[in-house]
Amino acid sequence: MSGARSRPKKQSPTKRVNEKQLKRERDVKELEDLERRISDFDPKDVTTFTELPISKPTANGLKLSHFATMTEIQKQSIPLALKGTDILGAAKTGSGKTLAFLIPLLETLYRDRWTQQDGLGALVLSPTRELAIQIFDVLRKIGRAHSFSAGLVIGGKDAQAERDRISRLNILVCTPGRLLQHMDQAAGFEMGNLKILVLDEADRILDMGFRKTIDAIIQHLPKNRQTLLFSATQTKSVTDLARLSLSPNAAEYISAHEKASSSTPTNLQQYYVITPLPEKLDTLFGFLKTHLKAKVLVFASSSKQVRFMFEAFKTLHPGIPLMHLHGRQKQTARIDVTDRFAESRYACLFCTDIAARGLDFPSVDWVVQLDVPEDADTYIHRVGRTARFDSTGRALLLVTPSELPGMQARLEAKRVPIDKITIKESKKKTIRAHLQALCFKNPEIKYLAQKAFISYCKSIFIQKDKEIFKFADLPAEEFAESLGLPGAPRIKFLSNQRAKELKNKSQQKLDDSESDDSSSEGQGKSAKTKETVRTKYDRMFERQNQSVLSQHYMNLIKDDNNVRQQDENDDDGFMSVKRRDHGLSDSDDASETETGQRERNSFGPGIVDSNAPVSNRQAKAALSKKATLKNRPNATKLVFDDDGKPHAIYEFEDEEGFKKHGDAETQKTEFINREEQRMRKVDVVDKAVAKEKRKEKKWKQRERERLAEQGDIDDEEYDGEEMEEASEVDDAHQRHAPEKRKKWFEEEGRAKRVKTDDIEIDQPKTLDDLEALSLSLLHK
Ligand SMILES: Nc1ncnc2c1ncn2[C@@H]1O[C@H](COP(=O)(O)OP(=O)(O)OP(=O)(O)O)[C@@H](O)[C@H]1O
C-alpha cells in the first residue's frame, strides 16, 4: 500500500549484541590508531588542521567552523599539548590562542572515552565573564560533533540552576569566583577526575586579585592533570607555576613571537598624543567627531569615569552611537552591550579594563586609551582589541606630559612601537563650557563628575609605578573644571598597602562580579538582601569608593563626623565616616581596628558609622520618644544631701530600717503594684489628652478647609504645615520653618476664635492639671 510506512525490521538480540561489539572494536581500533599517530607525529611543517592527529569529531567541528590553516601558536602548541605536555603559551593578541587550548582539551576527553558518568574532565578558567562566554561559544562551535556536556558558569545568573547542572558537566568554562562558590555550595560537585586545566589570560588569573580564589580551587584538583596556560603576556614566574603544581622544567614554554621585533600585532599602528589632563575630554570629543564612521573602543581607568563620560557625551550628541561597559552593570546589560557593539559597524564603546583582555570584537578600527594603563602588559592587551588575526587596526594613547617619559620607557622595554602625533589646531574642540552647564543643571551628572574625579585621582595614587603616575603633579582644580565641576572635590586617602588590597579585592569583584551590585545571584548576597530592607543610604554605603560623596550627603554626615574626627586628630581628612551596620565580616572589622593609625589615614569602602540611621524613616524613629525611652537605662532615684551631692536612697537607710518595711520580695511586689496603679492612672490621662489632641487636629483641619473655601487662607499656609513636618528630618527645611511656624500660629489663634461651640481646654501643665482634665473628660 502506497504511503504506508514500512516497519523497521526487528533485529534479533544476538545480532544487536554483535553490532555493539563490532562498534566497540572499531572505536578501540580508531583510538589506538589516533594514539599511534600522535606518538609518531612530527610537528615540522604542518600548516593545516587536517594534518593534525586529531579525532574525527574535532576535525569536523573545525571544518564546519571554517578553520583550515593554523596560526603560529596553534602550530607550535597543539602537537605538544596532544602529547600531554603542560604548556605555557605566549603569543600576540588576536593570534588564535583559544583554539590552541580548546583542541587539546576536546582531544584529551575524547581519547579517554569520557562519558557523562565520568563527571568533570576539563576546566577552563577566564578572568572575566565576557571572555568566558566567548570561549564557550568557540567551544560549542568546534565541539559540536562531540557528545560531551559542557557548561558556562560565570555568575549573573540563577545560582541554583547552575548548581543543579554543574555536577553533570564534562567541560566547564567559568570565572574563578563563581567556581569557588559552587565548590563550596554544590553537593556532589566533584573535581577529583579532572584531566585538563586551562587558564586563559593566565598571568591575570594568577596575579594578586585572584590569588586566594585560585589557590583554593587548585587545592581541590588532582595533581596528575595536564595544565595549559595561555596569555599574550605570559607569566614565567616560578612561584606562580609552583602554585599550580607545575615544574618549570616539565612545562614547555612556547612563545610564538618571541623573536618578533614587536610584541604587538604587525598590522597595528600605534600613536600617542601628549594631552594635559584637563584637556583629555576635549581631545577625545574632537577625536570622536572626526571618526564618526569608525568602530572605537575607549578605555578609562574606572567604571565611574566610564559612566560619567557616557552620560555626559550622550548629551553632546557627537554623531556616533555611544555605549558603555563596566563591571558594575547588571549581567544582562553587559551581555547586551557586548553583543550590540560586536554587531555594530560604527560605534564607540567606553569601557574599563574588563574589556581589555581576550575579547574578540570584530572589525574594531580604533582603540583609544583615555587614561594610560597601569602597566605595559595592560597596554598590550588593550590595543590587542583591534588588528586581530589578519585585520588591521589603530591605537591612540592619550598621555599627560608627566606620564610620558615613564610610559615611553615601559613600552620600549616591552617592544611596543608607538609614534607621536599632534592634533591639528583646527580640529580641536572644547566641551568644557557644555560640561559646566550640564553639571550645573543636572545634579546626577555633577555627582558622576565628582565620582569620576575622585576615582581618577585615587587610581593615580594607588598605582605602583611611580615613574609614570605622579600624584603630586595632578592639576586637581583644572581637571575638576574640565569635568564641569565648580571646584575639586576633597579626597581622603588610605595608606598605600591598604589601598592596593582594596583595589585587588574590588578588581576581582568587578572582573568576576560574584558579589558586586550587579550580580544578585550570589547566595550570600541574596540571603542578605532578603533579611534587610535596602535604602538609598544602604546603596550609597555599599558603593566601593565611600569618599565619593555629593556635597549634600557630605553636609548630612559632616556634623556627626566632626566630633569623631577631632578625637582622632585627623585634620586632613574630609570624611570620617568610620563604620556602619553593613555586615562587613569580622575580619574586615578587625583589620580596621588593628591597623589603627594607618587605617585612619585611609580611604576605603564600606567603613561607616554603625549608629547612623540608614533611612529617613529610621532616623525619625530613632528620635521618637518611644525609641529613646527604650534605649535608656532603668531610672535610679537619687537624693541630694545638704552639700548637693547625689546619693542612692539605700545609702540613707541601714539594713534594720529597710527590713522594718517587710522582706525584700514583698517590698518589691508592693512597689510594682503601686507603680502599676499609678501608671494606669497616668495612662488614662495620656489617652484622654491624645484623644483631645486628635479631636483638635481634626477640627483645625475642618476649619482650615472651611476658611480655604471662603478664601480666608491661602495655599502657602498649607505648604507651611507640610514644611514644618518635613523640618524634623531636613536641616535645610528647618531654616525656613520658624517663619512659617509663626504664620501658622497666627492662623491657629484666629481659627480658635471663629469656632465657638467646642470646649476650650487649657494645656495641662502639671500632673494635677492632667488628672483634673481626665476626670472632667470621664464625667462628660
Ligand atoms: N586558524 C585560524 N584561522 C582563521 N581564523 C582564526 C584561526 N585561529 C583563530 N582565528 C580567529 O582569530 C581571532 C582571534 O583569535 P583568539 O580570540 O583565539 O585570539 P587570542 O590569541 O586568544 O587573542 P587575545 O590574546 O586577545 O586573547 C578570532 O576571531 C578567531 O576566530
Side-chain angles (χ1 to χ4, degrees):
M1 216 201 305
S2 68
R5 268 182 158 189
S6 60
R7 269 188 165 184
K9 268 189 190 166
K10 221 175 179 187
Q11 283 179 341
S12 74
T14 353
K15 201 169 177 194
R16 238 181 298 151
V17 171
N18 280 345
E19 275 192 7
K20 265 190 186 169
Q21 199 167 345
L22 278 175
K23 185 176 181 304
R24 215 172 298 139
E25 279 169 13
R26 265 202 318 272
D27 287 351
V28 170
K29 198 170 166 307
E30 195 192 318
L31 280 177
E32 280 170 359
D33 221 37
L34 191 57
E35 294 293 349
R36 207 182 38 255
R37 279 171 64 207
I38 291 171
S39 64
D40 295 348
F41 185 65
D42 181 5
K44 268 185 233 146
D45 300 330
V46 280
T47 49
T48 63
F49 288 111
T50 48
E51 294 168 72
L52 285 176
I54 53 175
S55 65
K56 275 185 194 146
T58 308
N60 282 342
L62 287 166
K63 195 174 162 203
L64 291 169
S65 310
H66 311 288
F67 292 119
T69 317
M70 284 190 281
T71 64
E72 201 49 44
I73 184 71
Q74 291 161 358
K75 275 189 222 167
Q76 291 188 31
S77 63
I78 295 174
L80 276 175
L82 288 175
K83 288 182 193 251
T85 316
D86 291 334
I87 305 270
L88 311 180
K92 290 181 186 184
T93 51
S95 60
K97 294 184 285 292
T98 316
L99 287 186
F101 60 75
L102 285 183
I103 293 173
L105 178 149
L106 286 170
E107 287 304 286
T108 305
L109 297 193
Y110 180 83
R111 276 159 45 204
D112 273 5
R113 309 184 73 189
W114 210 260
T115 63
Q116 185 122 2
Q117 285 67 40
D118 294 314
L120 191 69
L123 178 64
V124 182
L125 292 178
S126 146
T128 64
R129 291 176 179 182
E130 283 70 19
L131 182 55
I133 294 171
Q134 190 179 292
I135 295 169
F136 188 70
D137 283 345
V138 180
L139 175 69
R140 274 206 318 204
K141 271 192 208 159
I142 65 157
R144 65 182 94 177
H146 282 283
S147 53
F148 309 125
S149 57
L152 177 68
V153 165
I154 52 168
K157 287 185 190 162
D158 180 15
Q160 186 58 47
E162 275 183 0
R163 247 197 311 282
D164 290 344
R165 63 195 175 93
I166 199 167
S167 46
R168 299 197 300 269
L169 298 176
N170 298 142
I171 305 170
L172 184 56
V173 181
C174 57
T175 49
R178 188 61 159 190
L179 174 65
L180 191 60
Q181 186 187 342
H182 284 303
M183 284 165 64
D184 290 342
Q185 293 170 357
F189 177 43
E190 250 301 312
M191 303 210 293
N193 278 349
L194 194 92
K195 290 281 159 201
I196 184 163
L197 167 72
V198 177
L199 269 61
D200 194 13
E201 305 300 339
D203 53 333
R204 173 72 190 105
I205 292 188
L206 289 167
D207 81 11
M208 281 302 287
F210 288 105
R211 181 169 287 269
K212 280 188 188 154
T213 317
I214 292 299
D215 289 350
I217 292 171
I218 298 293
Q219 269 181 11
H220 288 81
L221 305 183
K223 287 211 164 67
N224 58 341
R225 55 163 203 267
Q226 187 180 9
T227 308
L228 308 179
L229 311 186
F230 279 87
S231 178
T233 48
Q234 186 58 278
T235 178
K236 283 188 243 172
S237 148
V238 177
T239 341
D240 281 340
L241 300 186
R243 282 171 61 210
L244 295 170
S245 329
L246 279 180
S247 143
N249 300 329
E252 268 311 319
Y253 177 69
I254 298 172
S255 177
H257 310 106
E258 198 163 34
K259 297 200 175 82
S261 58
S262 82
S263 56
T264 46
T266 39
N267 35 6
L268 171 69
Q269 285 171 277
Q270 300 167 78
Y271 310 102
Y272 70 87
V273 57
I274 304 172
T275 317
L277 181 60
E279 287 171 27
K280 273 187 182 179
L281 288 184
D282 291 340
T283 307
L284 178 63
F285 188 72
F287 175 88
L288 290 181
K289 286 295 280 178
T290 47
H291 293 84
L292 299 179
K293 297 256 176 291
K295 192 162 171 178
V296 187
L297 256 178
V298 178
F299 284 97
S301 57
S302 73
S303 51
K304 271 132 197 171
Q305 283 162 280
V306 166
R307 277 199 64 198
F308 169 68
M309 251 189 320
F310 173 70
E311 296 295 340
F313 275 43
K314 238 173 37 178
T315 65
L316 288 156
H317 303 292
I320 181 169
L322 300 178
M323 302 171 194
H324 70 316
L325 179 69
H326 56 81
R328 289 174 201 281
Q329 285 166 311
K330 288 219 163 68
Q331 186 53 34
T332 42
R334 280 165 70 164
I335 292 176
D336 177 54
V337 170
T338 35
D339 287 352
R340 273 193 300 128
F341 187 67
E343 286 158 15
S344 298
R345 190 155 169 222
Y346 310 128
C348 168
L349 175 64
F350 298 116
C351 59
T352 58
D353 280 331
I354 63 164
R357 282 174 177 260
L359 294 194
D360 189 41
F361 293 119
S363 329
V364 172
D365 298 297
W366 278 95
V367 168
V368 178
Q369 303 188 54
L370 182 78
D371 300 323
V372 293
E374 63 180 308
D375 50 31
D377 282 354
T378 309
Y379 174 94
I380 291 169
H381 287 282
R382 282 178 173 185
V383 295
R385 295 320 97 211
T386 184
R388 295 182 70 71
F389 191 55
D390 54 2
S391 64
T392 56
R394 283 177 286 183
L396 176 67
L397 174 72
L398 272 62
V399 57
T400 66
S402 76
E403 290 164 345
L404 183 65
M407 198 66 217
Q408 259 180 328
R410 300 292 172 271
L411 294 181
E412 216 169 284
K414 285 273 172 174
R415 295 177 290 130
V416 174
I418 186 165
D419 297 322
K420 182 179 170 180
I421 54 167
T422 46
I423 302 165
K424 284 185 195 152
E425 280 304 313
S426 61
K427 296 283 174 199
K428 282 189 180 168
K429 299 242 180 299
T430 175
I431 53 169
R432 190 170 299 195
H434 177 92
L435 292 180
Q436 280 167 357
L438 197 62
C439 284
F440 184 73
K441 258 197 335 227
N442 188 336
E444 267 293 307
I445 301 267
K446 183 178 171 190
Y447 182 53
L448 288 178
Q450 283 177 328
K451 295 204 295 183
F453 174 93
I454 294 177
S455 68
Y456 178 80
C457 294
K458 279 179 186 172
S459 77
I460 298 294
F461 182 73
I462 60 177
Q463 295 296 354
K464 58 176 189 280
D465 193 338
K466 297 295 172 204
E467 274 182 46
I468 301 176
F469 303 98
K470 297 169 188 143
F471 183 75
D473 290 354
L474 284 185
E477 285 302 327
E478 295 94 311
F479 176 43
E481 218 175 281
S482 75
L483 302 177
L485 291 170
R490 286 162 294 169
I491 315 168
K492 186 179 178 190
F493 289 98
L494 274 181
S495 66
N496 243 346
Q497 181 53 32
R498 176 79 179 134
K500 267 182 222 149
E501 281 166 23
L502 288 171
K503 187 188 172 216
N504 283 328
K505 223 172 171 178
S506 115
Q507 185 60 45
Q508 186 186 346
K509 274 187 187 170
L510 284 183
D511 287 346
D512 212 29
S513 299
E514 309 300 356
S515 46
D516 75 11
D517 287 353
S518 63
S519 60
S520 52
E521 81 292 343
Q523 189 62 8
K525 169 116 181 169
S526 58
K528 209 166 78 186
T529 39
K530 262 181 214 156
E531 271 168 30
T532 53
V533 178
R534 285 169 77 251
T535 65
K536 69 174 175 185
Y537 290 95
D538 278 319
R539 286 193 290 275
M540 201 174 245
F541 286 130
E542 277 162 16
R543 286 175 186 148
Q544 292 289 309
N545 290 313
Q546 284 299 312
S547 38
V548 184
L549 297 164
S550 67
Q551 198 56 44
H552 170 67
Y553 178 68
M554 298 299 300
N555 289 339
L556 275 179
I557 59 165
K558 196 164 69 189
D559 289 348
D560 192 31
N561 293 322
N562 278 348
V563 180
R564 233 169 294 145
Q565 250 183 345
Q566 278 159 9
D567 290 350
E568 291 167 1
N569 272 341
D570 191 7
D571 301 339
D572 58 335
F574 85 112
M575 145 135 186
S576 58
V577 186
K578 287 290 167 196
R579 295 211 48 207
R580 83 176 184 96
D581 192 12
H582 53 15
L584 266 184
S585 70
D586 286 351
S587 57
D588 286 346
D589 288 356
S591 74
E592 286 304 322
T593 46
E594 270 165 29
T595 42
Q597 188 55 44
R598 184 167 66 79
E599 295 302 334
R600 286 195 196 122
N601 294 325
S602 312
F603 69 77
I607 309 157
V608 285
D609 189 352
S610 62
N611 299 317
V614 291
S615 72
N616 282 347
R617 187 169 40 80
Q618 285 179 14
K620 219 171 166 181
L623 291 173
S624 76
K625 220 177 190 175
K626 218 170 165 185
T628 36
L629 280 176
K630 208 167 91 186
N631 295 327
R632 228 166 48 188
N634 283 341
T636 40
K637 189 166 181 176
L638 295 176
V639 178
F640 290 84
D641 63 16
D642 294 342
D643 301 330
K645 283 188 188 147
H647 297 277
I649 42 169
Y650 63 81
E651 289 177 36
F652 291 104
E653 201 174 31
D654 57 16
E655 205 175 334
E656 293 282 295
F658 177 79
K659 280 181 179 165
K660 264 188 214 155
H661 304 295
D663 67 285
E665 201 49 46
T666 330
Q667 281 196 53
K668 191 174 139 193
T669 326
E670 278 172 9
F671 175 77
I672 291 172
N673 289 341
R674 229 180 14 250
E675 284 302 301
E676 261 177 13
Q677 273 176 10
R678 195 175 65 81
M679 293 306 288
R680 236 177 266 140
K681 262 191 200 169
V682 175
D683 202 32
V684 172
V685 178
D686 283 351
K687 278 182 181 152
V689 173
K691 194 176 166 189
E692 200 50 36
K693 274 190 178 166
R694 278 200 304 274
K695 233 167 116 181
E696 201 181 329
K697 203 172 164 190
K698 257 190 198 162
W699 170 78
K700 279 182 196 162
Q701 175 72 24
R702 276 203 306 273
E703 193 59 23
R704 270 201 311 272
E705 284 165 12
R706 193 176 64 76
L707 290 171
E709 269 172 28
Q710 292 169 3
D712 270 14
I713 185 168
D714 58 23
D715 288 348
E716 204 188 332
E717 281 150 353
Y718 281 102
D719 292 342
E721 187 184 32
E722 276 160 19
M723 185 76 89
E724 201 176 282
E725 280 176 11
S727 70
E728 285 174 31
V729 284
D730 192 331
D731 278 358
H733 286 176
Q734 246 167 16
R735 282 197 298 276
H736 304 286
E739 197 192 341
K740 296 287 179 189
R741 193 176 286 136
K742 202 171 152 204
K743 219 167 183 179
W744 174 243
F745 281 147
E746 278 164 14
E747 294 302 328
E748 232 180 358
R750 194 157 63 102
K752 222 175 197 174
R753 273 198 304 280
V754 184
K755 188 92 180 171
T756 49
D757 10 65
D758 272 343
I759 332 147
E760 286 276 357
I761 297 167
D762 287 333
Q763 196 62 28
K765 290 188 184 80
T766 63
L767 193 63
D768 289 345
D769 288 351
L770 280 171
E771 273 176 2
L773 169 66
S774 69
L775 278 174
S776 74
L777 290 167
L778 287 171
H779 288 151
K780 263 183 101 36

